[in-house]
Amino acid sequence: MDKIYLDYAATTPVDGRVLLAMQPYFNERFGNPASVHRYGQQAEAAVNAARETLAALLGCQPSEIVFTSCGSESDNLALRGTALAMRQRNGANWILTSRTEHHAVSRTAEDLERHYGFQVAWLEADQHGLVRPETVAGAIGAKTALVSIMYANNEIGTINPIQEIAGICRGQSVPFHTDAVQAAAYLPIAVADLGVDLMSLGAHKFYGPKGVGALYVRSGTPILAHLTGGGQEDGLRAGTTNVPYVVALAEALRLTVEERQERSAHVRPLRDHMIGRLLEEIPETRLTGHPEQRLPNHASFVFKGVDGNLLLTLLDAAGFACSSGSACKTGDPEPSEVMAALGLPREWGLGSLRVTLGSGTTPEHVEAFLGVLPGLVEKARRLNR
Ligand SMILES: *Cc1c(COP(=O)(O)O)cnc(C)c1O
């Protein structure tokens, strides 16, 4: 039996065109971009071209792009670098963020609180996991060092009103960071339109390789280095540039922006059909996240009285790869922080399921999934009693 992958929010396969673009930089053109000789010049030209491509796609200057090793690193650099620089500048020591953030943001904020003397204000999200601009407006002030609110949520697909939130931060001269790691696959990323000061990207969520990302840093945004050494990436992030991966990131994002309409048009009707059928056919089921303001490839549910991890195991045995929101794999499971932030009671929050579609998803895959899921939810409920 064929395996069916429905977990594109966890990671995506590398696009064949991206693989082709990066390949020469492993051997034929292996130079260190910092070297003076022509091997170095060739590698440097590739990195410059990738930086220019990214800048054109984001509508910014090449000097405003920092290449990193992943989306998590971009989030870390944004939070640590800017929080520390802002405190140095004006004594601001509050970080405003939300419990619905990816751990790369929320755990970093906690770390800054525990070990670096910052204070974190956890902003409320509504029942769809959306952070309202009014909530930000009510919490921001002269002591705010940084606001970090994600563009689209990985677990529940909700899209936040980033432009409005950015406008509020700009009005208070507080730097605004958004984690766009999940959003970039489907949503507009022109930074001037969004109004953001910092924005994180990670290639493996849009058909690039794992282990490479970027951070947009608007010129003039206070930020300190988080890797010191050879002074690469404008002194913000030392380390010999991963040339093939940087080339791959740029090519993957170029294709994503170019094909955005088609990619959305491919997944959205399949996703909508799936949501409609599952809510109709499986009793005591809810959609999590926003009903409309959500990523076009993203469906997420909770089933009352189901152990989400057990359901994943049953699905895997039936050939389907999905994911759940409950955090731990052993011992006493707890609903994830995102499920808790939605205010779901425990007997619902433990039974979460995320189904995310992508380029390889076909109508047949969706039909096969719809054919097995109701029975597996029923089985998981029986086994849970
Ligand atoms: C995947 C993801 C990350 C982490 O990116 P990595 O490249 O895997 O480190 C951060 N934020 C969001 C929203 C994500 O979906």
Side-chain angles (χ1 to χ4, degrees):
M1 184 194 55
D2 273 354
K3 293 197 299 292
I4 295 178
Y5 188 76
L6 295 170
D7 202 10
Y8 286 83
T11 196
T12 60
V14 177
D15 188 307
R17 296 166 291 181
V18 171
L19 205 55
L20 279 177
M22 75 193 282
Q23 244 157 9
Y25 296 94
F26 284 104
N27 41 30
E28 284 162 49
R29 308 184 204 159
F30 65 88
N32 183 333
S35 299
V36 171
H37 48 64
R38 56 194 67 187
Y39 292 85
Q41 290 165 18
Q42 193 175 44
E44 191 191 20
V47 173
N48 288 346
R51 202 183 302 281
E52 275 157 27
T53 299
L54 231 67
L57 296 169
L58 266 58
C60 69
Q61 295 302 315
S63 59
E64 295 175 311
I65 302 286
V66 180
F67 290 123
T68 67
S69 70
C70 58
S72 298
E73 191 196 325
S74 299
D75 287 342
N76 268 262
L77 173 57
L79 264 75
R80 292 178 196 283
T82 297
L84 289 164
M86 281 296 286
R87 186 168 65 189
Q88 231 171 50
R89 173 176 292 200
N90 65 7
N93 71 330
W94 278 88
I95 296 164
L96 270 47
T97 187
S98 147
R99 285 284 181 202
T100 59
E101 292 293 312
H102 190 277
H103 281 161
V105 168
S106 60
R107 294 272 153 89
T108 303
E110 283 172 9
D111 190 80
L112 285 165
E113 185 167 56
R114 191 167 305 132
H115 301 297
Y116 296 84
F118 286 92
Q119 287 185 282
V120 181
W122 298 100
L123 303 181
E124 287 283 323
D126 71 9
Q127 80 267 32
H128 302 308
L130 184 139
V131 178
R132 296 182 183 284
E134 306 88 88
T135 310
V136 178
I140 200 167
K143 286 277 168 203
T144 311
L146 173 73
V147 176
S148 184
I149 298 294
M150 70 203 312
Y151 192 172
N153 187 282
N154 47 301
E155 232 175 284
I156 54 173
T158 297
I159 300 168
N160 279 314
I162 289 308
Q163 276 174 308
E164 288 87 338
I165 295 173
I168 290 162
C169 297
R170 186 74 48 96
Q172 301 277 333
S173 303
V174 171
F176 176 54
H177 166 250
T178 195
D179 173 342
V181 176
Q182 200 63 233
Y186 291 100
L187 303 181
I189 47 166
V191 288
D193 293 346
L194 294 172
V196 299
D197 299 302
L198 303 126
M199 185 169 83
S200 300
L201 300 171
H204 76 102
K205 304 292 173 68
F206 48 82
Y207 306 96
K210 294 159 195 61
V212 63
L215 179 67
Y216 159 73
V217 184
R218 192 168 70 85
S219 165
T221 306
I223 188 162
L224 298 183
H226 83 153
L227 277 181
T228 44
Q232 289 91 347
E233 300 303 309
D234 206 16
L236 286 175
R237 201 263 178 194
T240 300
T241 313
N242 190 342
V243 183
Y245 277 56
V246 156
V247 168
L249 167 70
E251 179 65 357
L253 194 61
R254 189 185 71 73
L255 292 165
T256 296
V257 171
E258 194 175 289
E259 298 175 0
R260 182 177 292 137
Q261 303 301 333
E262 294 94 303
R263 291 184 189 183
S264 284
H266 171 64
V267 289
R268 189 187 294 276
L270 295 173
R271 190 278 311 264
D272 288 345
H273 174 65
M274 183 201 304
I275 291 177
R277 281 272 303 274
L278 291 182
L279 292 180
E280 210 169 272
E281 288 178 17
I282 306 180
E284 301 202 278
T285 299
R286 292 185 199 166
L287 183 74
T288 55
H290 203 283
E292 289 104 36
Q293 296 295 103
R294 66 185 302 136
L295 290 170
N297 71 324
H298 197 294
S300 55
F301 307 92
V302 281
F303 308 103
K304 190 181 177 192
V306 165
D307 172 345
N309 283 318
L310 173 63
L311 182 59
L312 286 189
T313 309
L314 295 173
L315 277 166
D316 184 51
F320 296 92
C322 303
S323 129
S324 156
S326 48
C328 71
K329 291 191 171 162
T330 53
D332 197 21
E334 277 300 316
S336 74
E337 283 148 45
V338 176
M339 292 303 138
L342 300 182
L344 287 169
R346 193 183 152 82
E347 73 267 27
W348 282 90
L350 284 176
S352 64
L353 179 71
R354 178 181 75 184
V355 190
T356 44
L357 317 188
S359 60
T361 309
T362 66
E364 292 72 33
H365 291 167
V366 172
E367 286 312 315
F369 183 71
L370 290 170
V372 302
L373 187 66
L376 294 182
V377 169
E378 204 184 298
K379 186 170 178 186
R381 278 181 175 148
R382 264 199 325 270
L383 291 169
N384 213 19
R385 277 192 207 112

